[in-house]
Amino acid sequence: MRKIIGFIGACFRQADMVLLALCTGTTLFGCLMIASATHYTGSYKNVIVQGAALCLGIVAYVFMSMLDLNELGKHWKWLLSGSLVLFLLLKTPLGIENGGNRAWLGVSGFPVNVQPAEIVKLTFIILLARQLAHLQETRDLKSIPSVAMLVGHLGLIAGVYAVVSGDMGSTLVFVFIFACMCFVAGVAKRWFVLGILGGSFAFYVLWETDRIDVYMKERFLTLFDHELDTMGVGWQQTRSLLALGGGKLTGQGLFNGTQTQAKDAWSLPARHTDFIFSVIGEELGMLGCLFTIALLAAIIFRCVLIARNAQVKTDMYICVGVAAMLIFQTVSNIGMCLFVMPVIGLTLPFISYGGSSIVTLFAAMGMVSGIQKRTRPEWLR
């Protein structure tokens, strides 16, 4: 027994306990808000699942802290193949469609589903970091062949996922991670300008030729006219604004939100997933929202700080990729709740309900934790 306790203690000493404490504290706060958001149902199933995911997440955090990601990256063929296989499984009977997106894997009768995109985000970051470091050593990152290989990598992962699942939210996460990592690695700014101009032109052509689904067009149009379809496409975000406004400075009180605790059809939708930030605003007010943002900002800042101290370029790029993932998901979710960004199905990291999301987020933080461990002097490891 003493040996087991000693082994567990040694494992935790390998990890960055500051980052672990921040992630655990934020997730526990999320569990509290999930409990409030689902209180009206009379069931604590979601809280129990989220708590179990937190426990598994801590295990994943410690495990990933002990891995040498540079050694793992050498098996890039297996990582890339595994990523594509996970995406292609969505087209099999294991694929589950929800909200128009076929983005989950599950077995009938089994209560837990898995989002392949959450797992592949981690492998994508590892593979892209390795590719950037390799191109820096052997080629010029500003050259056309180098940029073409990088864009090909993004196109393969994001393209296959977009076609298979139809989930544009997670597809945009891949694009943002790619852009941030390439920018930090030193890819010439002209390529970003060309990419933005090319992407904008492609979006315009698709819009004008009606290649974009009507419901997606309406999600963009409602951002410029909030009264365009308040009972249809704009319904979710309209209720979100009412919830946030109803909380004022200090909120209506935990388990006391007007919309959060209502069972009626007019109440706040997806309150424990996509719109949990609105629950926080209604019940804890603006102060609760600022506290939430501060928690997430602290985690992101810790990732950036570890990136600055990384001794190997690959490690630095991995930290940047993880931070970029958190930044995009946080800004997108909060912007969606504030009705300034379209609804793209991205949840609030560590706060929203989602077992597979919590486990993979902790695994991602474990990757950063292992890099922090490797930057310490030998006597501190």
Side-chain angles (χ1 to χ4, degrees), residues 58-122:
I58 293 174
V59 174
Y61 180 97
V62 174
F63 175 75
M64 295 301 291
S65 296
M66 299 171 65
L67 286 182
D68 187 338
L69 299 180
N70 294 312
E71 289 297 320
L72 182 62
K74 292 179 181 178
H75 303 285
W76 63 271
K77 293 180 181 179
W78 288 103
L79 293 177
L80 181 60
S81 300
S83 300
L84 294 175
V85 168
L86 280 174
F87 285 162
L88 294 175
L89 283 175
L90 292 170
K91 282 297 186 181
T92 69
L94 295 175
I96 298 174
E97 187 168 336
N98 186 15
N101 297 330
R102 196 176 181 85
W104 291 264
L105 291 175
V107 179
S108 179
F110 193 68
V112 179
N113 299 326
V114 176
Q115 282 186 278
E118 297 295 330
I119 300 171
V120 176
K121 285 173 191 174
L122 306 189

Side-chain angles (χ1 to χ4, degrees), residues 33-46:
M33 298 315 303
I34 291 169
S36 180
T38 58
H39 180 67
Y40 74 99
T41 65
S43 170
Y44 289 97
K45 173 188 173 184
N46 298 116

Side-chain angles (χ1 to χ4, degrees), residues 62-221:
V62 174
F63 175 75
M64 295 301 291
S65 296
M66 299 171 65
L67 286 182
D68 187 338
L69 299 180
N70 294 312
E71 289 297 320
L72 182 62
K74 292 179 181 178
H75 303 285
W76 63 271
K77 293 180 181 179
W78 288 103
L79 293 177
L80 181 60
S81 300
S83 300
L84 294 175
V85 168
L86 280 174
F87 285 162
L88 294 175
L89 283 175
L90 292 170
K91 282 297 186 181
T92 69
L94 295 175
I96 298 174
E97 187 168 336
N98 186 15
N101 297 330
R102 196 176 181 85
W104 291 264
L105 291 175
V107 179
S108 179
F110 193 68
V112 179
N113 299 326
V114 176
Q115 282 186 278
E118 297 295 330
I119 300 171
V120 176
K121 285 173 191 174
L122 306 189
T123 60
F124 178 72
I125 290 171
I126 295 171
L127 292 174
L128 183 59
R130 175 178 170 80
Q131 185 181 30
L132 286 167
H134 175 72
L135 289 174
Q136 276 187 321
E137 292 176 1
T138 60
R139 296 172 180 265
D140 180 7
L141 270 181
K142 300 177 181 180
S143 66
I144 294 177
S146 295
V147 174
M149 283 189 280
L150 291 169
V151 173
H153 183 180
L154 172 66
L156 179 63
I157 296 296
V160 169
Y161 181 71
V163 171
V164 170
S165 70
D167 179 10
M168 297 309 299
S170 292
T171 302
L172 290 175
V173 176
F174 285 116
V175 174
F176 188 77
I177 291 171
F178 173 83
C180 290
M181 292 177 68
C182 288
F183 182 81
V184 170
V187 173
K189 294 181 179 63
R190 64 176 179 273
W191 294 113
F192 292 98
V193 174
L194 288 172
I196 293 171
L197 292 175
S200 300
F201 178 73
F203 182 78
Y204 172 77
V205 171
L206 292 172
W207 184 285
E208 291 297 324
T209 56
D210 293 328
R211 299 295 179 88
I212 298 176
D213 291 337
V214 175
Y215 80 93
M216 292 183 67
K217 280 189 173 183
E218 291 176 342
R219 287 182 179 182
F220 281 99
L221 293 173

Side-chain angles (χ1 to χ4, degrees), residues 259-277:
Q259 289 197 75
T260 301
Q261 302 305 325
K263 299 180 181 180
D264 306 279
W266 55 262
S267 57
L268 184 67
R271 61 193 80 172
H272 65 300
T273 52
D274 290 6
F275 290 94
I276 197 164
F277 188 77

Side-chain angles (χ1 to χ4, degrees), residues 223-244:
L223 297 179
F224 303 98
D225 183 3
H226 289 184
E227 297 182 0
L228 181 64
D229 189 9
T230 55
M231 300 303 292
V233 176
W235 169 258
Q236 293 177 312
Q237 290 172 293
T238 300
R239 306 313 301 180
S240 173
L241 279 184
L242 288 173
L244 287 166

Side-chain angles (χ1 to χ4, degrees), residues 303-348:
C303 293
V304 174
L305 183 64
I306 294 172
R308 288 190 60 187
N309 297 329
Q311 296 179 349
V312 181
K313 287 183 178 180
T314 306
D315 289 346
M316 179 180 69
Y317 300 151
I318 289 173
C319 292
V320 170
V322 173
M325 176 180 70
L326 294 178
I327 290 170
F328 188 82
Q329 292 187 199
T330 299
V331 172
S332 295
N333 181 270
I334 294 176
M336 175 184 72
C337 293
L338 294 174
F339 215 158
V340 295
M341 295 186 73
V343 177
I344 55 176
L346 291 177
T347 54
L348 193 61

